[in-house]
Amino acid sequence: MYDIIGSREKAVAVIPDPGLLPRVLKYHKNVKSVILKKGGRKGTERLYETEVIYGDPDTEVVHVEYGMKFRVDPSRVYFSPREAKERQDLAASVKDGEKILVMFSGIGCIGIAMASRKSCEVVGVEINPEAVRYAEENAKLNKLRGTVRNILGDVRDVCPKLGRFDRVVMPFPEDSLSYADLALGCVKPGGTVHVYLFSGSEKEAVERVRESFGPAAEVISWKKVLPHSPKTWKYRVDVRIRGENP
Ligand SMILES: C[S@@+](CC[C@H](N)C(=O)[O-])C[C@H]1O[C@@H](n2cnc3c(N)ncnc32)[C@H](O)[C@@H]1O
């Protein structure tokens, strides 16, 4: 499976196997560069080791998704076009006036999806400076009803200084659960946390979230988001923090 990222005018293909090159070039005439990804995502910034094996070495594009635009170079920052529908689902649950924290915010696509639909106030926190630069530019590229602010830094340093939010999003499926304590300190009583994680089953995903968040939180819903490996899926588990919203 490969990803096409960009627009009708200019796109890049990200492929896991050089054997896919002829097929990509045959079916996607808008592809100007082909990036070969080697192995899995690595490190804090969740990047692939990559090599441009065809076309323009400049792999920056403007990706178009549900009418929004995201400038991105997939060889330098995390971006997955496969998560477009999930971003829409998440944005659909937001209400006008909400204050939302997106931890691990990348190039800002979740916050922009939310703020394009609703007049909410989004704060994104991301450790990769390149991703924050794109997030800033992307906030300006799109017509927003709400506001988006992007902060460069480690969530552990930045988030405790931001006050409390109605909704916290944790889109770091490899390690979200290690930050459960942090999220609990960032959400208002009655507020919601959306936790992404990889798991072999729905039951296991829900149990792990319950254990990590403890009695202060109640699991209210969950969904299978996307396949991850032959035996694991990416899940989203939603928890509500007990207590009344003051
Ligand atoms: C799976 S990506 C998700 C990016 C974005 N939310 C999206 O959906 O496209 C996880 C992101 O978390 C960032 N990250 C990892 N550890 C972090 C930390 N301690 N503080 C802030 N950002 C972090 C990485 O650089 C990466 O961009």
Side-chain angles (χ1 to χ4, degrees):
M1 204 146 104
Y2 55 82
D3 286 324
I4 305 294
I5 302 175
S7 63
R8 270 191 227 160
E9 290 71 39
K10 182 186 177 188
V12 297
V14 182
I15 64 175
D17 173 351
L20 290 166
L21 183 60
R23 190 161 133 200
V24 164
L25 297 179
K26 181 172 175 195
Y27 292 111
H28 305 278
K29 298 294 180 203
N30 54 341
V31 164
K32 307 288 187 242
S33 321
V34 177
I35 299 172
L36 175 68
K37 58 179 181 182
K38 300 172 178 176
R41 292 188 182 275
K42 287 193 202 126
T44 308
E45 296 175 353
R46 311 311 303 147
L47 301 180
Y48 295 111
E49 197 184 317
T50 58
E51 184 189 341
V52 177
I53 59 164
Y54 168 87
D56 191 344
D58 174 6
T59 49
E60 185 180 274
V61 291
V62 176
H63 181 73
V64 179
E65 169 180 308
Y66 289 95
M68 296 174 292
K69 291 178 183 162
F70 302 132
R71 190 179 292 279
V72 61
D73 181 340
S75 67
R76 298 167 73 99
V77 294
Y78 178 98
F79 179 71
S80 170
R82 298 180 203 183
E83 291 161 10
K85 168 78 170 50
E86 173 58 12
R87 288 190 265 277
Q88 286 302 302
D89 283 0
L90 205 53
S93 63
V94 170
K95 298 183 188 63
D96 283 334
E98 279 191 16
K99 269 188 77 183
I100 302 154
L101 171 64
V102 182
M103 293 176 166
F104 320 110
S105 47
I107 64 157
C109 41
I110 295 176
I112 290 169
M114 291 171 161
S116 343
R117 279 179 170 233
K118 296 284 159 60
S119 65
C120 54
E121 216 179 291
V122 182
V123 180
V125 183
E126 165 61 48
I127 207 164
N128 178 351
E130 200 70 27
V132 175
R133 188 177 65 75
Y134 279 124
E136 286 286 284
E137 196 175 336
N138 289 332
K140 290 182 199 137
L141 263 182
N142 290 279
K143 199 162 176 272
L144 303 181
R145 293 183 60 202
T147 60
V148 177
R149 184 176 149 216
N150 295 291
I151 303 178
L152 170 64
D154 188 321
V155 290
R156 284 221 181 273
D157 302 329
V158 175
C159 297
K161 300 171 192 151
L162 298 176
R164 294 207 180 230
F165 294 80
D166 299 297
R167 193 181 292 270
V168 174
V169 188
M170 305 180 80
F172 188 15
E174 295 85 354
D175 204 21
S176 289
L177 296 181
S178 307
Y179 296 87
D181 59 329
L182 185 66
L184 284 169
C186 292
V187 66
K188 293 179 188 173
T192 308
V193 184
H194 302 288
V195 190
Y196 288 87
L197 72 162
F198 295 129
S199 180
S201 76
E202 201 166 272
K203 190 165 174 264
E204 184 201 76
V206 169
E207 262 326 297
R208 286 174 55 209
V209 171
R210 271 201 188 110
E211 265 173 36
S212 304
F213 279 76
E218 178 193 1
V219 171
I220 50 170
S221 48
W222 55 86
K223 69 180 279 203
K224 221 178 203 181
V225 178
L226 283 169
H228 173 57
S229 72
K231 289 194 175 160
T232 60
W233 282 71
K234 181 190 286 188
Y235 287 90
R236 188 184 90 210
V237 178
D238 307 318
V239 305
R240 175 148 309 136
I241 306 309
R242 294 184 201 276
E244 290 301 307
N245 212 337

